[in-house]
Amino acid sequence: MLLTLTTTHRPATDLGYLLHKNPARPQAFDLSFGQARVFYPEASDDRCTAALLLEVDPVGLVRNRRGPSGEGFALEQYVNDRPYVASSFLSVAIAQVFGSALSGGSKERPELAKTPIPLVARLAAVPCRGGEALLRALFEPLGYRVSATRHPLDETFPEWGEGPYFTVELSHTLTLHDLLTHLYVLVPVLDDDKHYWVGDEEVEKLLRHGQGWLAAHPQREQIVHRYLKRRTHLAREALARLLEEDQQDADDAVEQRDDEEERVEQKISLNEQRLGAVMAVLRGSGAKRVLDLGCSTGNLLRRLLDEKQFERIVGMDVSHRSLEIAADKIHLDRLPPKQRERIELVHGSLTYRDKRLAGYDAAAVVEVIEHLDEPRLAAFERVLFEFARPKTAVVTTPNVEYNVRFPTLPAGKFRHKDHRFEWTREQFRSWAEAVAGRFGYAVRFLPVGPEDAEVGPPTQMAVFTA
Ligand code: SAH
């Protein structure tokens, strides 16, 4: 497997500084699955090419249990394409051999590392499961000119036809960092056969290296699914985090929200009253298994845990940071085993169908819908009422009419900057009734907090029952 990187940006030999590898000195690196060599077939002021040659040791792979499991056919463990093709081994090698370039740093040429320069990456051979169309669909949206030559399966037997292997040339003017992150993520996607176990940390790697380009990539779904080897729950998590561009907002908002929204709503300790009202409905529904969707830092979860009626409690949020704080507040790691078994925190988005949410008696969705973009609201409706389908669902949201009664809130402003909308009583009612009708629920409405004769209560609640 050979990757070459060429630049014509003068002085082209600066490529050596960017890669942190001296053009005059060939180097070899021992990796867990074989050996990597770096050398420069050409190095002049006008044009410089660095080569990364990977020699994967198939016997070592078996010994280290990193290769194919051999489920395909008896000798697959030993006889496979892994030593010769650009696969996730290449990504590992890029990370280990060109680590600082991959992360965008260069001690000697920090400015150049941030400068788009003409670069050509050539890969031989790339197994491209999905053909040339996929190859183009992956790289062209990122601005690359792509040229691909397909190799026959066996040159001596042309009648066997074409194999899945290509020699690929990618040209673009971009930073070396960007080029390497694209290769890091997309080569395994083309290969679609990851050599190692895909675990949670792969989601982190994917999101880290995909930063700034993956979220907007038209093939995002396919990239995520293939990269994570079709481990659906990981892919779902990654997509949720990518799509929730407000995820960072959500995380940042955690710390602020308690301040901001509480400051506005403080006088009546609305939060207390809201959670009290939700608890009353959940208690009254007879629910034993309950969901708290958008549980944030766990205020409702703590109350649920305190009551024996609730035998199984699941809190879900899209913000990882919130869940960490929730786990802390609940002292999750110090709960006695019986208590510990009752509760689970899951990271996920309410805009994706999620099997983990099925089979519950009740769901609380407290002050969450106003955080969803309107187009995602429709997805949420199906996730909750069609797929999760709890017998009871309690949904609360601000009553925007009441905002005029908050002395510290400027006219026309929402209670929190992350709110996408705040509804009047009429808007909430018509939304809830339409949803109930569509999914076969009955719905009733309850005021939360001191009801004002003119503008109604500060919080509005809908209780849906199947
Ligand atoms: N229910 C809590 C928190 C309300 S704040 C309470 O009443 O105190 C809204 C919460 O919804 C935040 O924690 C935010 O991270 C979460 N959230 C926003 N969009 C989400 C989504 N798509 N899926 C799951 N949670 C989401």
Side-chain angles (χ1 to χ4, degrees):
M1 207 311 294
L2 183 69
L3 163 70
T4 63
L5 301 168
T6 301
T7 188
T8 48
H9 179 85
R10 293 176 57 119
T13 43
D14 273 1
L15 184 63
Y17 290 117
L18 291 181
L19 290 170
H20 229 270
K21 299 285 170 287
N22 185 342
R25 198 161 63 87
Q27 278 177 269
F29 303 84
D30 285 323
L31 305 176
S32 59
F33 48 81
Q35 220 187 31
R37 293 170 195 282
V38 177
F39 57 94
Y40 287 73
E42 57 183 339
S44 72
D45 260 12
D46 299 334
R47 197 181 153 88
C48 181
T49 297
L52 172 67
L53 177 66
L54 261 193
E55 287 167 293
V56 175
D57 166 15
V59 177
L61 283 186
V62 178
R63 233 183 280 127
N64 296 326
R65 294 173 184 281
R66 286 200 157 82
S69 61
E71 284 153 9
F73 56 94
L75 277 177
E76 192 192 350
Q77 293 183 76
Y78 297 96
V79 186
N80 56 66
D81 65 1
R82 300 297 87 190
Y84 315 110
V85 303
S87 62
S88 48
F89 292 122
L90 178 65
S91 303
V92 177
I94 288 175
Q96 296 194 1
V97 177
F98 298 142
S100 58
L102 177 65
S103 57
S106 164
K107 239 194 267 147
E108 283 98 347
R109 295 288 184 277
E111 281 314 308
L112 188 59
K114 295 194 194 81
T115 309
I117 56 175
L119 285 164
V120 179
R122 213 181 131 85
L123 292 142
V126 184
C128 189
R129 290 171 236 278
E132 188 173 338
L134 177 65
L135 178 70
R136 291 187 182 280
L138 292 179
F139 284 96
E140 285 176 350
L142 296 168
Y144 289 91
R145 249 180 308 114
V146 177
S147 90
T149 318
R150 192 162 199 165
H151 298 289
L153 211 47
D154 188 323
E155 272 156 19
T156 44
F157 298 97
E159 66 275 18
W160 288 2
E162 307 271 33
Y165 303 110
F166 287 81
T167 292
V168 174
E169 207 172 87
L170 304 163
S171 321
H172 193 8
T173 299
L174 74 177
T175 64
L176 180 61
H177 161 71
D178 283 346
L179 171 63
L180 292 177
T181 59
H182 296 156
L183 294 176
Y184 181 98
V185 172
L186 296 179
V187 166
V189 168
L190 283 168
D191 181 30
D192 203 17
D193 184 14
K194 270 201 146 211
H195 68 276
Y196 46 80
W197 179 249
V198 175
D200 286 346
E201 69 281 14
E202 289 304 311
V203 175
E204 301 306 325
K205 284 185 201 161
L206 173 63
L207 294 179
R208 191 165 71 245
H209 295 299
Q211 208 172 26
W213 61 272
L214 184 52
H217 198 295
Q219 298 298 322
R220 179 182 60 221
E221 302 244 343
Q222 159 126 284
I223 293 171
V224 168
H225 276 102
R226 281 189 168 207
Y227 185 92
L228 296 170
K229 213 173 169 181
R230 301 195 167 79
R231 306 269 320 252
T232 317
H233 75 281
L234 293 179
R236 193 191 309 110
E237 177 184 334
L239 283 167
R241 287 172 59 185
L242 270 180
L243 290 183
E244 290 300 327
E245 263 136 22
D246 45 291
Q247 142 88 18
Q248 194 49 48
D249 292 359
D251 281 353
D252 294 346
V254 184
E255 261 98 312
Q256 266 178 36
R257 178 178 312 116
D258 293 343
D259 288 359
E260 196 175 329
E261 204 162 347
E262 264 169 30
R263 216 179 318 117
V264 175
E265 295 180 341
Q266 187 171 40
K267 280 219 174 90
I268 41 173
S269 162
L270 185 54
N271 194 35
E272 288 295 311
Q273 295 190 41
R274 193 159 43 220
L275 294 178
V278 172
M279 284 299 292
V281 172
L282 293 177
R283 234 181 262 127
S285 76
K288 294 188 170 135
R289 297 166 54 79
V290 292
L291 299 167
D292 181 6
L293 304 176
C295 62
S296 188
T297 55
N299 290 335
L300 182 63
L301 295 174
R302 269 183 296 161
R303 286 173 170 76
L304 291 166
L305 257 184
D306 282 342
E307 295 194 23
K308 290 211 172 59
Q309 170 182 340
F310 305 110
E311 295 168 4
R312 172 77 182 159
I313 304 160
V314 170
M316 181 200 244
D317 206 285
V318 74
S319 156
H320 212 268
R321 180 78 192 117
S322 296
L323 293 174
E324 283 171 4
I325 299 174
D328 231 37
K329 283 196 184 169
I330 298 166
H331 306 300
L332 204 62
D333 53 352
R334 276 177 280 147
L335 286 179
K338 269 242 146 46
Q339 291 286 76
R340 182 66 192 83
E341 280 166 21
R342 290 172 60 210
I343 184 156
E344 194 186 344
L345 299 181
V346 299
H347 186 214
S349 172
L350 282 171
T351 50
Y352 289 88
R353 179 183 183 164
D354 194 326
K355 286 206 188 78
R356 296 173 296 181
L357 305 183
Y360 285 79
D361 302 321
V365 192
V366 180
E367 306 294 285
V368 174
I369 57 171
E370 65 275 11
H371 292 266
L372 304 176
D373 288 333
E374 302 249 18
R376 296 202 197 133
L377 198 58
F380 158 75
E381 290 160 15
R382 295 193 65 196
V383 168
L384 180 61
F385 296 104
E386 184 178 333
F387 301 124
R389 228 180 150 66
K391 290 187 207 68
T392 303
V394 189
V395 177
T396 79
T397 195
N399 165 21
V400 72
E401 294 168 78
Y402 194 91
N403 286 3
V404 295
R405 296 285 183 267
F406 291 121
T408 57
L409 191 65
K413 267 200 81 174
F414 291 154
R415 296 182 200 181
H416 187 270
K417 72 168 170 45
D418 193 45
H419 287 178
R420 305 306 155 92
F421 58 83
E422 287 181 358
W423 279 338
T424 62
R425 283 168 289 175
E426 181 45 42
Q427 285 173 309
F428 183 51
R429 181 178 281 274
S430 67
W431 172 80
E433 280 171 352
V435 166
R438 201 156 358 112
F439 296 100
Y441 279 75
V443 61
R444 62 184 204 275
F445 298 89
L446 296 168
V448 179
E451 204 162 358
D452 183 283
E454 197 188 332
V455 296
T459 295
Q460 35 189 353
M461 174 190 277
V463 181
F464 298 84
T465 42

